[in-house]
Amino acid sequence: MKLTLRSTIGASLLMFGLFSTTSHAQDKALDLNNMDTSVKPGEDFYNFANGGWMKKAEIPADRGRWGSFDELRERNEKATLRVLNDAAESGKLANGSDQEKAVFMYESGMDSATIEKLGYSPVKPYLAEVDKIKSLDDLQEVLEKLHDSSTSVFFGMGVYQDLKDSKIQSLYLGYAGLGLPNKDYYTKDDSASVAKREQYVQHIENMMRKIGVKKQSQKIFDLENALAEFNKTPVEARDPRTQYNPMTVAELQGKCKTINWSTYLKHIDVPAEKIIVNHPIYFEKLDSILVNTNIKTIKNYLKWHIIHEAAPYLSSEFVNESFDFYGKKMRGLEENRPRWKRVLGTTNSTLGFAVGKLYVETEFPAEAKEKAEKMVNNIKEAFAERIKKVDWMSAETKEKALNKLANFTVKIGYPDKWETYENLEIKKGEYFQNIVNSSIYETKKNFAEYGKPVDKTKWGMTPQTVNAYYNPLYNEIVFPAAILQPPFYNYKADEAVNYGGIGAVIGHEISHGFDDQGRRFDAKGEMQDWWTKEDGETFQGKAQMVIDQYNGYYPLEELHINGELTLGENIADIGGVAVAYDGLQRYLSLQAEKPGMIDGFTPEQRFFLSWATIWRTKSREEALRNQIMTDPHSPGQFRATGPLSDFDPFYEAFHIKKGDKMYVAPEKRAKVW
């Protein structure tokens, strides 16, 4: 029932994204009204670049934060809806086509009268299955049915490329089944965390009462808390090496006897002899937790997750209660998003490539792709030169790094081969069942990949997604069509602005291949240590400087950025700015005449202003707190200025000197690439 279409074991293993989704060219590539030139760039570059915008921008009631990404996503949602509506009204959609199914999914979600009338009756069959459980012996069959529809309880399985063998697809097993974002929310003892737990218990109580279960919320929470104790922290979960623990089915059975793993594999039709377990101790402890927990509590835990994960797609009393906790209390939102946006999000999550095919036909100009391809190639060459020139890496490791870079696959705009949904049944007026059908369809589709060749033509994001990513298993960088728009990319703008925007995004994703996680994968996408021991140790020292730098930033007075959690993204930001700047210089060097000043700024200054512009952000306190505790990306202000404080050409461009607040002594400037 959940819209995470597969039971994943940690998306961070598979993809490093830029942000924790007709081109609208602007008259001005940089709007000077968004600046505050009364602020000296050396004192506060973030407000120098964005102060005007910060003063006038307001966070919409349905948002936890607002910035350049959000502005583009807002425009893009409207464009995507227009495309979908035009297709529905055209009368040209073939019966049973993927695009017709996308229209039906959207229309069924907008049928609020039917949804209100149904209440929570769509989940009653699942609740009835839970009621049949009399002992642990009855648990397995119910778990199998819940997992088919992607209800996240106790554990999850998925088929992905083997981390150590790029030619095969392996079965992964990971923990699952918490209602709070991660282990830290269960274990931290500061007043804010304690308050969130109390609110969460009350939310469970409120929701369970709606299905006739009272005064069980604390016991449900206690069971989740017992599970959370043996989860990894967000920082621990970042290391892919610790998540690769192959076991035979017999070995897993010895650790966790309550689940019959052979029977489970038969149910999902995966004839695996080996399972890669992300955290073995969890499954050792899961056995004792299940054995020592009252069966009534286990049943109520299952009911809680059924109703919790289904709530956003049921009648308004469930939608509102879910939003009250996860929207208002967790993120500080004032209002829920309008129904059309929520339903469009569901449609994109379930039939995203069907929608994407319509989207690129009208919203993605050929010129944008052609120009972006040239920029990617230029920045890749600039990164190669940077690798050659670093003074801390041996020739042996440099050769392997250059080979990895040369073998990067670049995907821009949209897939050459589209995902299809030919066996997915979508009907009018059956919103919840359509979501269940999609979950079951995607689960079966994923498990069917076991034993088949790895298909590296697949995309991990749809074309209408405003984001970008690096996938270490495919050794690829991917830039969906939707991000190739202002303020990130304006194919009519001067190159300095584009290199500071989408150029730095490109550099960011390339740098992910050589951050603290990506560096552990080779040119084939296999996890292995291809570094010399000395180079690896030097890298760790440089990474520690980045950790220390970001640990020193306090977005909230009592809460600093977690430098270890955000390390990979910070390395990618620092590297992305540097290599994009190199790319701009390469471009300028090829021009017969260097471009002059525009609006009083040199190309170099416009590059840095553009970079700061894409990270302008205003956040509500609760949303910011949630981001710091869960998101591997630093808050926008520190993404804008942190990398610049480490980069010598920034100092030269704006004449920043010792004594300025932006000044950092050269020996303390973090430099990895």
Side-chain angles (χ1 to χ4, degrees):
M1 291 166 233
K2 225 166 59 162
L3 288 177
T4 53
L5 299 179
R6 299 173 183 170
S7 298
T8 63
I9 61 164
S12 61
L13 269 176
L14 306 174
M15 187 184 299
F16 305 121
L18 179 71
F19 198 75
S20 221
T21 198
T22 301
S23 176
H24 302 272
Q26 297 171 335
D27 293 332
K28 281 184 173 290
L30 289 176
D31 188 345
L32 302 189
N33 292 321
N34 287 331
M35 300 176 63
D36 184 352
T37 54
S38 69
V39 177
K40 294 182 179 180
E43 292 298 298
D44 182 355
F45 188 74
Y46 182 75
N47 277 298
F48 173 73
N50 298 310
W53 181 89
M54 293 292 289
K55 290 174 184 175
K56 64 188 178 184
E58 295 184 2
I59 304 173
D62 63 347
R63 300 275 186 161
R65 61 187 177 200
W66 189 249
S68 292
F69 268 91
D70 307 286
E71 290 174 328
L72 177 51
R73 283 171 174 153
E74 184 83 7
R75 295 201 308 268
N76 202 61
E77 282 178 325
K78 293 176 181 176
T80 304
L81 180 62
R82 182 178 65 250
V83 165
L84 199 59
N85 281 334
D86 288 348
E89 294 168 4
S90 70
K92 297 179 181 179
L93 295 180
N95 290 337
S97 68
D98 290 348
Q99 286 68 38
E100 184 187 61
K101 291 175 184 178
V103 169
F104 286 176
M105 175 64 86
Y106 181 78
E107 290 178 347
S108 69
M110 293 302 293
D111 184 2
S112 57
T114 297
I115 293 169
E116 289 300 315
K117 183 178 179 181
L118 289 172
Y120 76 96
S121 62
V123 301
K124 286 182 178 178
Y126 296 92
L127 299 174
E129 288 293 328
V130 173
D131 282 332
K132 293 178 184 178
I133 297 174
K134 304 302 179 186
S135 69
L136 282 181
D137 293 336
D138 304 323
L139 177 62
Q140 174 132 352
E141 185 177 351
V142 175
L143 281 182
E144 291 170 355
K145 290 179 180 178
L146 293 179
H147 286 171
D148 285 345
S149 59
S150 297
T151 304
S152 178
V153 285
F154 295 127
F155 63 88
M157 280 188 172
V159 173
Y160 307 99
Q161 178 181 317
D162 193 285
L163 296 188
K164 292 192 175 182
D165 187 343
S166 59
K167 298 184 294 298
I168 65 174
Q169 304 219 64
S170 292
L171 182 65
Y172 290 82
L173 171 65
Y175 51 72
L178 302 183
L180 290 173
N182 57 45
K183 179 176 181 175
D184 285 351
Y185 276 84
Y186 292 84
T187 59
K188 286 185 175 292
D189 58 5
D190 59 280
S191 58
S193 297
V194 171
K196 282 291 179 290
R197 288 196 287 272
E198 292 173 351
Q199 291 170 338
Y200 178 55
V201 172
Q202 185 59 55
H203 168 58
I204 296 173
E205 182 69 24
N206 295 346
M207 193 72 87
M208 293 293 282
R209 281 177 176 266
K210 296 180 186 300
I211 61 171
V213 179
K214 301 178 181 179
K215 298 182 179 180
Q216 297 298 313
S217 56
Q218 186 61 52
K219 291 179 180 179
I220 294 169
F221 175 82
D222 290 343
L223 175 52
E224 282 194 8
N225 195 45
L227 298 173
E229 182 181 351
F230 301 103
N231 280 209
K232 292 174 181 284
T233 67
V235 171
E236 291 169 343
R238 291 192 68 253
D239 189 342
R241 297 171 300 174
T242 67
Q243 299 194 49
Y244 190 84
N245 304 285
M247 293 183 185
T248 65
V249 177
E251 287 171 335
L252 178 60
Q253 194 66 63
K255 291 182 180 295
C256 186
K257 301 178 180 63
T258 308
I259 307 299
N260 187 318
W261 297 102
S262 294
T263 300
Y264 193 93
L265 294 179
K266 287 179 183 177
H267 173 76
I268 64 175
D269 196 22
V270 176
E273 297 178 356
K274 176 188 74 173
I275 301 174
I276 299 171
V277 182
N278 77 334
H279 197 35
I281 193 172
Y282 173 84
F283 291 92
E284 293 177 19
K285 300 299 182 181
L286 176 60
D287 215 37
S288 61
I289 290 171
L290 290 174
V291 169
N292 292 304
T293 301
N294 184 283
I295 195 67
K296 180 179 178 181
T297 299
I298 291 175
K299 291 169 66 173
N300 284 325
Y301 162 84
L302 297 176
K303 289 183 176 182
W304 155 238
H305 277 273
I306 289 169
I307 200 68
H308 153 60
E309 293 175 17
Y313 319 110
L314 300 178
S315 60
S316 56
E317 65 171 323
F318 293 93
V319 172
N320 294 340
E321 175 57 37
S322 180
F323 172 74
D324 183 72
F325 178 71
Y326 289 102
K328 290 183 178 179
K329 294 182 173 64
M330 288 292 288
R331 298 173 56 209
L333 306 187
E334 296 174 1
E335 296 177 4
N336 204 350
R337 303 191 77 201
R339 174 177 285 276
W340 75 265
K341 291 185 180 182
R342 288 180 275 133
V343 175
L344 182 64
T346 302
T347 307
N348 279 327
S349 296
T350 52
L351 291 125
F353 288 99
V355 178
K357 201 168 185 179
L358 296 169
Y359 175 88
V360 298
E361 289 174 0
T362 60
E363 301 299 311
F364 188 51
E367 305 98 306
K369 184 170 184 175
E370 292 167 7
K371 201 169 182 181
E373 286 173 341
K374 292 178 182 178
M375 187 180 291
V376 170
N377 291 333
N378 190 32
I379 293 174
K380 277 183 68 180
E381 291 175 12
F383 199 94
E385 289 302 312
R386 189 162 280 269
I387 290 173
K388 292 174 186 176
K389 292 178 181 178
V390 293
D391 58 5
W392 55 269
M393 182 180 275
S394 67
E396 178 184 348
T397 307
K398 282 184 181 181
E399 182 180 355
K400 293 176 180 177
L402 290 167
N403 180 54
K404 177 174 182 176
L405 179 63
N407 281 280
F408 267 39
T409 296
V410 180
K411 297 176 180 177
I412 295 175
Y414 52 88
D416 294 325
K417 183 175 73 175
W418 290 90
E419 290 278 332
T420 58
Y421 308 88
E422 60 269 17
N423 296 318
L424 173 59
E425 185 177 24
I426 301 294
K427 294 183 178 180
K428 292 183 177 181
E430 296 187 15
Y431 187 45
F432 184 81
Q433 189 59 49
N434 287 338
I435 292 171
V436 171
N437 290 349
S438 176
S439 293
I440 293 172
Y441 172 80
E442 291 292 341
T443 299
K444 289 182 177 179
K445 187 176 179 180
N446 175 242
F447 287 138
E449 293 177 355
Y450 183 82
K452 293 181 179 178
V454 176
D455 182 2
K456 294 193 175 183
T457 67
K458 288 189 173 184
W459 279 52
M461 288 179 181
T462 63
Q464 65 272 30
T465 302
V466 180
N467 212 326
Y469 68 90
Y470 168 70
N471 181 349
L473 301 187
Y474 290 8
N475 195 30
E476 66 179 5
I477 49 176
V478 184
F479 306 96
I483 200 171
L484 298 173
Q485 302 179 68
F488 301 95
Y489 181 63
N490 182 345
Y491 70 94
K492 297 181 180 180
D494 59 292
E495 289 300 279
V497 167
N498 279 330
Y499 272 89
I502 197 65
V505 170
I506 293 166
H508 172 102
E509 301 306 339
I510 291 174
S511 298
H512 266 314
F514 305 92
D515 69 12
D516 68 306
Q517 291 175 300
R519 79 175 190 89
R520 302 195 181 282
F521 294 82
D522 65 12
K524 294 187 293 184
E526 295 178 354
M527 187 171 65
Q528 64 161 302
D529 191 357
W530 47 269
W531 298 58
T532 66
K533 181 181 177 182
E534 294 76 13
D535 290 341
E537 290 173 350
T538 303
F539 180 94
Q540 290 301 115
K542 290 182 172 294
Q544 188 60 51
M545 288 186 68
V546 178
I547 292 172
D548 293 342
Q549 174 183 337
Y550 284 82
N551 276 342
Y553 295 146
Y554 281 78
L556 295 172
E557 186 175 349
E558 78 288 1
L559 190 61
H560 65 77
I561 293 174
N562 186 332
E564 290 181 284
L565 176 61
T566 58
L567 176 59
E569 297 298 334
N570 297 333
I571 289 175
D573 280 346
I574 294 168
V577 167
V579 72
Y581 183 87
D582 290 352
L584 174 63
Q585 295 306 310
R586 285 171 61 84
Y587 168 82
L588 294 175
S589 70
L590 297 174
Q591 307 309 303
E593 183 177 344
K594 181 177 177 179
M597 299 177 77
I598 300 176
D599 293 330
F601 296 105
T602 67
E604 288 77 9
Q605 289 173 329
R606 287 173 67 78
F607 171 90
F608 294 116
L609 287 168
S610 179
W611 165 258
T613 294
I614 68 175
W615 298 119
R616 63 189 180 204
T617 310
K618 296 185 79 168
S619 297
R620 301 184 192 278
E621 182 175 330
E622 288 305 316
L624 185 55
R625 183 181 301 278
N626 187 61
Q627 180 183 359
I628 295 168
M629 291 184 66
T630 64
D631 198 330
H633 303 85
S634 297
Q637 177 181 348
F638 303 96
R639 296 191 76 173
T641 59
L644 302 189
S645 69
D646 295 317
F647 194 45
D648 297 349
F650 170 69
Y651 289 75
E652 297 164 9
F654 287 97
H655 312 292
I656 293 169
K657 58 187 183 302
K658 191 174 183 178
D660 292 340
K661 290 182 180 179
M662 285 291 300
Y663 182 87
V664 174
E667 68 274 11
K668 293 185 178 179
R669 296 174 193 171
K671 296 179 181 178
V672 180
W673 298 107

